């Protein structure tokens, strides 16, 4: 299997704090991490490779030079090859443009490395949170897709994906080539070995810039050609004025709560 | 593409039994206002197999028109068939704007359709308005795990599309059905559907967990300490006729199945009453429940962030508080 995993470098949103005066996000000092869902996607690819050892896993990320850090992390965990997609022309792209650029970069890599059988994505990036780039890559390439994947296996070119649904899970069969997106499974992704980590640190990661993609349409990329525009951002209003009950005994606290809920006609 | 009308479309997702999913009907409420503001019709789009119940529900909840595609190949949702049908309808009628519920299927279908139409899509919205300066739809959505809200416009592409979270808007009252019904025949050849459901896996528990439609939810987190710690949570839920929810910490620990999880990677819920027991209130948990009408927190740590969003909170040990609360309610209802 020739597999590709799309990974994004994201701020660790669990570490984000709000500036109480300016009411904005404080991004300084927030660590950049591999998008957790992309880690699950990489693990799913690695598990297929465990069973089919002649497989290759390539990782690709679009972002600034610093994004090489997550590519190196992916190399350390399970990937064999990595590409960074980076150019000023790509900046400010919304999901339609981002997915278009990634699909063009994928086609360019395929000219050298051969067609990918499966393209893996995370369900969503924890910063943009849209969950749109995976399905849109699939659409640009005209591939079928399965979203909300938990696990995947390959049997005679048929890919079987365990997909999370609103009331449980289903097994979906999908032909290759295809795009799969992954949500959080019940297991954690594997840790890198020291040996792989050292090799990854030394790895030379090729960069694909705008000029390296001869077939790309410049009218379909970047802030200017993105159909959606962020008009404004703001920090959500915290609900305030809640009543905290802390009486001498649990009995008294419950009595007070019960009375308040009854008065408010909640109970 | 160009719009041909000023109409506002709501994609009303159906269940396999042909009824409408709640979120589709919920979206007709803001849809009514937005369609009026745009100066067009409110159109519900129903795709499925044997979907008369959904068509009727759309008609009695304010749609001026219902466009129906009713055929066997749509019985089960597939990305390929639904994308072909919905794209064909948009191309034929040219609405100005469209919204879909941000369910698993809605978030699978929305980007596929938007990309095929080469237009913008705003994800997972929680507030909708018309932008005064431009007259475009102003889609407001949480990003960065709920830490930031963004208002997004799609100024030059049509239709303007958004997915909207379930539970944010309330279903309107039923009214007289005056909707014009338009039936469209769109058929998809079997080989164009490139995925197939091979097996349906049952959830860990026997009961069906319907968090999205629950009026009351009692949730347990890491504070319950183990699978047996859910017993007092379940007891309280039982006397209240409530559904049991959970934080991801409890789910990841294997104490309860994922179907119960509330939050960014679980369900988004908006019950009348949400009782959080032993849950700290991480932003990813809040992302799934902050729209509840009334939030009650029980936590032994007075500094837990859940108290910032709770209407009422008890600082205390849940193993002491819950049995007394259960008894109190039982007494009152006896
Ligand atoms: C506050 C805010 C709100 C926004 N809202 C919208 C919106 O509603 N609609 C819209 O179209 N755009 C929106 N954008 C722009 C959007 O965030 C960017 O286009 C972003 O590059 C991709 O979207 P995402 O982060 O949501 O990724 P998602 O679609 O959530 O990512 C899904 C998966 O795609 C892959 N992937 C995504 N980005 C990359 C990458 N750079 N390199 C490699 N793989 C990648 C990963 O596997 C990832 O797990 C918003 C931006 C901001 C700052
Ligand atoms: C990408 C991503 C997605 C995520 N998605 C979700 C999601 O969908 N849903 C979700 O819930 N989380 C999600 N999380 C995890 C989230 O960040 C928190 O880790 C999680 O919500 C914590 O669960 P908790 O509140 O049960 O546990 P903790 O944070 O450990 O809190 C336990 C609480 O119980 C209290 N407690 C302990 N004992 C008692 C007692 N005897 N009586 C009363 N109180 C007691 C403690 O004071 C504490 O406040 C996500 C994280 C990431 C990174």
């Amino acid at each position: 299997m020739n597999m590709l995993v799309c990974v994004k470098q994201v701020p660790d949103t669990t570490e984000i704090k709000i500036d109480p005066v300016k009411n904005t996000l404080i991004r300084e000092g927030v660590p950049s991490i591999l998008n957790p869902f992309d880690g699950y996607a990489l693990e799913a690819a690695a598990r297929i490779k465990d069973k089919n050892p002649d497989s290759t896993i390539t990782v690709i990320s679009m972002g600034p030079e610093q994004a090489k850090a997550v590519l190196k992390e992916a190399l350390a965990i399970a990937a064999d090859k990595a590409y960074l997609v980076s150019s000023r022309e790509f900046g400010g792209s919304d999901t339609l443009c981002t997915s278009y650029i990634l699909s063009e970069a994928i086609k360019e890599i395929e000219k050298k490395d051969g067609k990918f059988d499966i393209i893996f994505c995370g369900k969503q990036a924890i910063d943009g949170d849209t969950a749109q780039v995976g399905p849109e890559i699939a659409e640009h390439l005209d591939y079928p897709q399965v979203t909300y994947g938990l696990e995947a296996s390959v049997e005679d070119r048929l890919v079987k994906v365990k997909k999370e649904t609103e009331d449980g899970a289903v097994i979906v069969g999908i032909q290759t080539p295809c795009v799969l997106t992954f949500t959080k499974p019940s297991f954690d992704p594997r840790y890198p070995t020291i040996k792989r980590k050292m090799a990854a640190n030394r790895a030379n990661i090729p960069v694909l810039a705008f000029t390296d993609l001869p077939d790309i349409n410049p009218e379909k990329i970047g802030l200017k050609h993105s159909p959606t525009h962020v008009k404004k951002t703001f920090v959500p209003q915290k609900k305030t004025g809640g009543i905290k009950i802390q009486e001498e005994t649990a009995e008294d606290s419950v009595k007070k709560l019960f009375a308040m809920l009854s008065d408010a006609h909640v109970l | 593409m160009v719009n041909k009308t000023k109409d506002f479309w709501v994609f009303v997702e159906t269940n396999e039994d042909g009824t409408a999913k709640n979120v589709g009907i919920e979206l007709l409420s803001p849809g009514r206002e937005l369609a009026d503001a745009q100066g067009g019709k409110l159109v519900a789009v129903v795709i499925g197999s044997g979907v008369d119940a959904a068509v009727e529900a759309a008609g009695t909840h304010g749609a001026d028109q219902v466009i129906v595609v009713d055929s066997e190949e749509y019985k089960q949702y597939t990305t390929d068939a639904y994308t072909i049908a919905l794209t064909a309808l948009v191309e034929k009628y040219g609405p100005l704007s469209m919204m879909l519920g941000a369910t698993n299927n809605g978030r699978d279908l929305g980007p596929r359709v938007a990309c095929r139409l080469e237009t913008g899509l705003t994800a997972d919205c929680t507030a909708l308005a018309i932008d005064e300066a431009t007259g475009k739809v102003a889609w407001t959505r949480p990003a960065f795990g709920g830490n930031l809200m963004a208002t997004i416009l799609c100024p030059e592409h049509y239709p303007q599309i958004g997915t909207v979270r379930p539970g944010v808007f309330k279903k309107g009252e039923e009214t007289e059905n005056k909707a014009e019904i338009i039936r469209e025949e769109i058929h998809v050849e079997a080989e164009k559907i490139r995925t197939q459901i091979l097996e349906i896996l049952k959830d860990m528990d026997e009961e069906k967990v319907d968090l999205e439609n629950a009026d009351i939810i009692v949730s347990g987190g890491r504070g319950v300490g183990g699978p047996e710690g859910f017993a007092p949570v379940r007891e309280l839920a039982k006397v209240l006729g409530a559904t049991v929810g959970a934080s991801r910490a409890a789910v990841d620990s294997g104490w309860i199945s994922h179907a119960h999880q509330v939050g960014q990677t679980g369900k988004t819920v908006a019950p009348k009453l949400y009782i959080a027991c032993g849950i700290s209130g991480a932003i990813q948990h809040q992302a799934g429940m902050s729209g509840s009408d009334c939030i009650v927190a029980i936590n032994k740590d007075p500094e837990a962030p859940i108290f910032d969003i709770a209407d009422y909170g008890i600082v205390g040990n849940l193993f002491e508080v819950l049995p007394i609360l259960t008894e109190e309610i039982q007494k009152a209802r006896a």
Side-chain angles (χ1 to χ4, degrees):
Chain A
M1 283 282 131
N2 193 10
M3 298 182 280
L4 177 81
V5 186
C6 300
V7 299
K8 187 180 181 191
Q9 187 179 43
V10 296
D12 185 349
T13 52
T14 55
E15 298 285 319
I16 284 182
K17 303 266 174 326
I18 308 294
D19 182 328
V21 183
K22 284 189 279 178
N23 217 23
T24 52
L25 290 191
I26 305 174
R27 295 202 206 186
E28 293 85 54
V30 178
S32 289
I33 56 169
L34 170 69
N35 180 38
F37 294 105
D38 303 350
Y40 310 141
L42 180 62
E43 175 63 27
R47 287 182 176 211
I48 290 177
K49 187 172 172 178
D50 291 343
K51 295 225 173 77
N52 307 269
D54 57 344
S55 302
T56 311
I57 301 176
T58 304
V59 284
I60 180 176
S61 186
M62 180 174 115
E65 187 70 19
Q66 300 91 282
K68 280 188 177 168
V70 294
L71 290 169
K72 288 191 169 170
E73 188 178 341
L75 285 170
I77 296 167
D80 304 299
K81 274 189 203 176
Y83 291 92
L84 179 70
V85 181
S86 191
S87 236
R88 209 156 21 135
E89 286 84 348
F90 303 154
S93 291
D94 74 351
T95 61
L96 185 70
C97 293
T98 299
S99 56
Y100 173 68
I101 297 162
L102 286 169
S103 70
E104 287 299 312
I106 290 167
K107 287 186 204 160
E108 196 60 34
I109 295 169
E110 285 181 334
K111 286 183 190 165
K112 283 204 285 104
D113 297 359
K115 271 217 161 288
F116 295 111
D117 301 299
I118 312 176
I119 295 169
F120 295 76
C121 287
K123 181 192 88 168
Q124 72 192 62
I126 61 167
D127 53 353
D129 269 340
T130 67
Q132 291 174 183
V133 170
E136 293 187 333
I137 290 175
E139 178 61 27
H140 286 298
L141 296 171
D142 191 22
Y143 288 178
Q145 73 190 40
V146 176
T147 54
Y148 294 87
L150 293 164
E151 294 167 37
S153 61
V154 181
E155 281 166 37
D156 301 326
R157 314 278 319 158
L158 180 74
V159 181
K160 288 187 176 178
V161 189
K162 183 172 171 191
K163 173 185 164 82
E164 186 179 286
T165 62
E166 261 122 29
D167 33 42
V170 292
I171 305 283
V172 183
I174 183 167
Q175 307 147 11
T176 58
C178 60
V179 172
L180 310 178
T181 82
F182 284 83
T183 185
K184 191 184 179 322
S186 52
F187 46 81
D188 283 323
R190 65 197 60 193
Y191 288 106
T193 60
I194 303 278
K195 200 171 140 214
R196 288 195 69 102
K197 236 180 176 159
M198 281 165 50
N201 273 334
R202 285 193 306 270
N204 181 23
I205 296 176
V207 178
L208 291 171
F210 175 66
T211 45
D212 298 316
L213 303 175
D215 302 330
I216 203 165
N217 179 351
E219 306 273 282
K220 289 170 82 171
I221 60 170
L223 182 67
K224 192 160 157 248
H225 300 107
S226 289
T228 63
H229 288 223
V230 178
K231 184 176 178 243
K232 65 166 184 194
T233 60
F234 55 98
V235 171
Q237 279 246 298
K238 280 247 158 72
K239 230 169 130 174
T240 48
I243 298 165
K244 222 185 264 180
I245 306 166
Q246 191 169 15
E247 301 299 309
E248 286 286 308
T249 66
E251 277 84 4
D252 291 346
S253 291
V254 169
K255 285 227 160 67
K256 201 162 163 187
L257 173 72
F258 189 76
M260 285 174 171
L261 291 178
S262 304
D263 283 350
H265 302 291
V266 178
L267 280 183
Chain B
M1 77 166 261
V2 289
N3 66 299
K4 299 176 191 163
T5 69
K6 292 188 170 172
D7 295 350
F8 205 114
W9 281 20
V10 172
F11 173 72
V12 177
E13 190 182 334
T14 53
N15 297 303
E16 262 180 60
D17 65 2
T19 55
K21 286 213 169 143
N22 274 341
V23 60
I25 303 302
E26 288 164 19
L27 293 188
L28 291 169
S29 309
R32 178 75 267 164
E33 285 172 38
L34 293 165
D36 291 344
Q38 275 186 185
K41 290 192 291 288
L42 174 63
V43 180
V45 178
V46 179
I47 301 173
S49 174
V51 290
D52 291 348
V55 173
E56 173 68 15
T60 54
H61 288 87
D64 299 312
Q65 209 174 54
V66 186
I67 301 177
V68 194
V69 181
D70 192 332
S71 169
E72 195 52 41
E73 63 259 56
Y74 306 108
K75 180 131 191 94
Q76 267 176 340
Y77 170 82
T78 59
T79 313
D80 286 325
Y82 275 65
T83 304
I84 289 170
L86 187 55
T87 311
L89 293 176
V90 169
E91 282 173 343
K92 176 164 179 186
Y93 291 94
L96 191 56
S97 325
M98 172 161 83
M99 51 188 168
L100 303 87
T103 57
N104 287 21
N105 289 346
R107 294 184 83 184
D108 184 270
L109 177 64
R112 200 81 208 203
V113 169
C115 190
R116 195 163 295 182
L117 295 165
E118 296 198 34
T119 186
L121 174 62
T122 306
D124 220 15
C125 301
T126 54
L128 306 165
I130 297 287
D131 179 55
E132 286 204 9
T134 59
K136 305 288 171 191
V137 182
W139 311 90
T140 296
R141 61 175 299 254
F144 289 84
N147 285 294
L148 189 72
M149 303 297 292
T151 300
I152 304 219
L153 304 181
C154 177
E156 283 158 21
H157 294 69
Y158 299 100
Q160 313 163 67
I161 314 182
T163 61
V164 183
R165 274 203 190 160
V168 171
F169 295 97
K170 301 275 174 244
K171 259 191 204 181
E173 297 287 319
E174 281 195 28
T175 54
E176 194 193 335
N177 187 345
K178 292 191 207 134
E180 173 196 5
I181 313 286
I182 300 177
R183 294 192 179 268
E184 288 285 345
E185 293 279 335
I186 301 171
H187 291 291
V188 180
E189 296 137 56
E191 65 268 20
K192 292 233 167 102
I193 302 176
R194 297 167 290 181
T195 56
Q196 194 190 353
I197 294 183
L198 303 172
E199 201 181 325
I200 296 175
L201 303 172
K202 287 267 175 299
D203 214 328
M204 201 157 96
D205 4 35
E206 294 299 309
E207 48 178 326
K208 189 164 151 44
V209 190
D210 189 5
L211 285 167
E212 271 117 333
N213 291 316
D215 273 338
I216 305 179
I217 294 173
V218 186
S219 284
R222 202 196 310 274
V224 308
E228 60 293 332
F230 268 97
V233 175
R234 289 185 193 280
E235 289 291 311
L236 176 60
K238 204 166 140 202
V239 300
L240 287 170
T243 306
V244 174
S247 75
R248 173 157 151 188
V251 171
D252 281 359
S253 305
W255 303 342
I256 190 162
S257 75
H258 181 269
H260 294 269
Q261 185 176 317
V262 172
Q264 193 191 75
T265 41
K267 302 277 155 53
T268 303
V269 301
K272 295 201 176 80
L273 175 60
Y274 187 93
I275 306 181
C277 313
I279 294 178
S280 62
I283 192 90
Q284 293 88 356
H285 189 77
Q286 290 187 20
M289 47 66 79
S290 60
S292 308
D293 291 345
C294 177
I295 297 170
V296 172
I298 299 160
N299 197 305
K300 66 179 183 190
D301 173 9
E303 302 303 323
I306 190 77
F307 287 120
D308 297 342
I309 61 157
D311 298 279
Y312 306 96
I314 291 187
V315 181
N317 182 342
L318 71 94
F319 294 105
E320 289 174 22
V321 171
L322 288 183
I324 305 171
L325 183 58
T326 305
E327 203 187 304
E328 201 68 34
I329 291 165
Q330 234 159 3
K331 263 195 297 191
R333 301 209 165 166

